[in-house]
Amino acid sequence: PVTAAPLSCRRYVAGGQCKSTAKLEGKVVIITGANTGIGKETARDLAGRGKVILACRNIVKAEAAASEIRAETGNQQVIVKKLDLADTKSIREFAEKFLAEEKELHILINNAGIMLCPHSKTVDGFEMHLGVNHLGHFLLTFLLLERLKQSAPARIVNVSSLAHHGGRIRFHDLNGEKSYNCGLAYCHSKLANVLFTRELARRLQGKSQRICPGLLSFAIGTKVTANALHPGSVHSELVRHSFVMSWLWKIFSFLLKTPREGAQTSIYCAVAEELDSVSGQYFSDCQPAYVSPRGRDDEIAKKLWSVSCELLGIHWD
């Protein structure tokens, strides 16, 4: 048939799909940046399973998204909370209110992100990509980790990107003041997500047992797992800061995943039963994926952890 080739191409672009039907009754999920794109689609799916908190900077858009999801799923436990990852005060206020209101937290999805921003800084003076994509989620996870441990088994899911292959941690110029390229700044921050996941998993695991060399490791310590993922190239608002990329995204939209398709690996990492004890891994299309050599550098991961704590003024053993 004439339509066979386009349909085949479309199926290839769509990539893997989360097949799990796991329910999340009595469980609590936080998703950052859940008012649009893959975050919203992740929230839509998980709202069909349990309680979901949309942690967003734009409350108006978040309330609209939550209202839509409540109407579609019939789940009234879809709640909006203010969170600005570019402001550590906002992050601390969000965590304080959450901990006062919720006694459990089972899944934290660090989804929010920015891309291709002109050089700018967060409220606390961090380069924007590093501050929002890495340091903001680093601090949020730190503040919520004890509640995750108390609620275990629990999961932390960090949305990274294939772009981490182009990143490096420039400790001599983390804020991009000596040289700056918006594309590379994004890559650096996505590499930071992978390294953070790796070091966090190591600290949570204690001892680990590998079932396949270099592939899957089982968490024996806290019963809190941490995994990272690449959602795919998704047709979303992420490229809004670049006129050229926005234009290319429209032209080649048929080669991009829809937000729903892009959310599948986030959903998979959050609920798939076979990942109950898997930690410190990186996924794409709902299966393990290749991590760049820099993303597997344990010494860099440890140094980034230490520097991140220093920048944020926290002590995290």
Side-chain angles (χ1 to χ4, degrees), residues 128-140:
M128 193 64 72
H129 292 89
L130 180 78
V132 171
N133 296 353
H134 168 59
L135 291 172
H137 284 128
F138 188 95
L139 178 60
L140 179 66

Side-chain angles (χ1 to χ4, degrees), residues 9 104 108-109 115-116 121 140 163 182 233 262 289 310:
C9 177
E104 293 187 301
L108 170 61
I109 303 180
M115 180 180 180
L116 303 176
K121 292 186 177 180
L140 179 66
C182 62
S233 297
E310 188 177 329

Side-chain angles (χ1 to χ4, degrees), residues 131-204:
V132 171
N133 296 353
H134 168 59
L135 291 172
H137 284 128
F138 188 95
L139 178 60
L140 179 66
T141 305
F142 166 75
L143 295 170
L144 299 178
L145 188 58
E146 284 308 309
R147 189 56 45 90
L148 284 159
K149 288 180 180 178
Q150 292 162 10
S151 310
R155 303 186 186 192
I156 299 164
V157 179
N158 294 325
V159 179
S160 180
S161 169
L162 182 69
H164 84 270
H165 285 269
R168 61 190 310 164
I169 307 302
R170 304 171 70 246
F171 289 108
H172 67 287
D173 189 25
L174 284 174
N175 286 319
E177 291 167 338
K178 296 179 181 177
S179 65
Y180 181 79
N181 176 285
C182 62
L184 289 177
Y186 175 73
C187 294
H188 302 334
S189 70
K190 293 292 104 178
L191 173 60
N193 293 155
V194 172
L195 291 168
F196 168 46
T197 303
R198 187 177 185 88
E199 180 62 10
L200 176 59
R202 186 187 71 79
R203 289 166 177 260
L204 291 171

Side-chain angles (χ1 to χ4, degrees), residues 27-28 104-107 147-156 222-225 270 275-277:
K27 296 193 175 183
V28 180
E104 293 187 301
L105 174 60
H106 302 89
I107 302 170
R147 189 56 45 90
L148 284 159
K149 288 180 180 178
Q150 292 162 10
S151 310
R155 303 186 186 192
I156 299 164
T222 60
K223 293 189 177 178
V224 178
T225 63
L275 301 187
D276 277 347
S277 299

Side-chain angles (χ1 to χ4, degrees), residues 6-48:
L7 283 174
S8 177
C9 177
R10 184 62 234 150
R11 278 195 294 269
Y12 175 79
V13 169
Q17 186 171 3
C18 178
K19 301 284 200 302
S20 173
T21 57
K23 293 297 182 184
L24 300 173
E25 287 103 341
K27 296 193 175 183
V28 180
V29 182
I30 291 175
I31 308 172
T32 67
N35 60 352
T36 188
I38 66 172
K40 180 180 176 182
E41 293 306 318
T42 302
R44 192 193 307 276
D45 180 282
L46 298 187

Side-chain angles (χ1 to χ4, degrees), residues 58-269:
N58 189 322
I59 294 296
V60 174
K61 286 182 71 174
E63 287 290 2
S67 178
E68 179 186 319
I69 293 169
R70 286 188 212 107
E72 184 176 318
T73 63
N75 180 4
Q76 296 308 303
Q77 292 294 291
V78 180
I79 300 165
V80 171
K81 298 289 183 186
K82 172 79 172 179
L83 172 65
D84 184 353
L85 288 160
D87 183 352
T88 58
K89 182 181 177 183
S90 173
I91 298 169
R92 290 182 180 279
E93 287 175 350
F94 169 86
E96 185 179 340
K97 288 177 183 176
F98 172 83
L99 294 172
E101 295 169 3
E102 301 288 343
K103 299 309 175 191
E104 293 187 301
L105 174 60
H106 302 89
I107 302 170
L108 170 61
I109 303 180
N110 291 319
N111 163 84
I114 58 167
M115 180 180 180
L116 303 176
C117 292
H119 189 267
S120 56
K121 292 186 177 180
T122 67
V123 172
D124 301 273
F126 307 131
E127 186 277 315
M128 193 64 72
H129 292 89
L130 180 78
V132 171
N133 296 353
H134 168 59
L135 291 172
H137 284 128
F138 188 95
L139 178 60
L140 179 66
T141 305
F142 166 75
L143 295 170
L144 299 178
L145 188 58
E146 284 308 309
R147 189 56 45 90
L148 284 159
K149 288 180 180 178
Q150 292 162 10
S151 310
R155 303 186 186 192
I156 299 164
V157 179
N158 294 325
V159 179
S160 180
S161 169
L162 182 69
H164 84 270
H165 285 269
R168 61 190 310 164
I169 307 302
R170 304 171 70 246
F171 289 108
H172 67 287
D173 189 25
L174 284 174
N175 286 319
E177 291 167 338
K178 296 179 181 177
S179 65
Y180 181 79
N181 176 285
C182 62
L184 289 177
Y186 175 73
C187 294
H188 302 334
S189 70
K190 293 292 104 178
L191 173 60
N193 293 155
V194 172
L195 291 168
F196 168 46
T197 303
R198 187 177 185 88
E199 180 62 10
L200 176 59
R202 186 187 71 79
R203 289 166 177 260
L204 291 171
Q205 281 172 300
K207 296 179 180 178
S208 64
Q209 175 186 355
R210 296 193 178 279
I211 61 169
C212 181
L215 187 57
L216 300 179
S217 56
F218 278 68
I220 299 172
T222 60
K223 293 189 177 178
V224 178
T225 63
N227 291 297
L229 66 98
H230 167 55
S233 297
V234 182
H235 197 283
S236 71
E237 295 180 9
L238 195 59
V239 296
R240 63 186 178 277
H241 295 289
S242 169
F243 171 78
V244 173
M245 288 297 290
S246 297
W247 181 67
L248 289 172
W249 246 228
K250 287 179 181 178
I251 293 176
F252 296 105
S253 60
F254 65 97
L255 293 175
L256 300 173
K257 291 185 178 184
T258 64
R260 181 181 177 279
E261 291 163 351
Q264 293 304 303
T265 307
S266 295
I267 297 164
Y268 174 75
C269 288

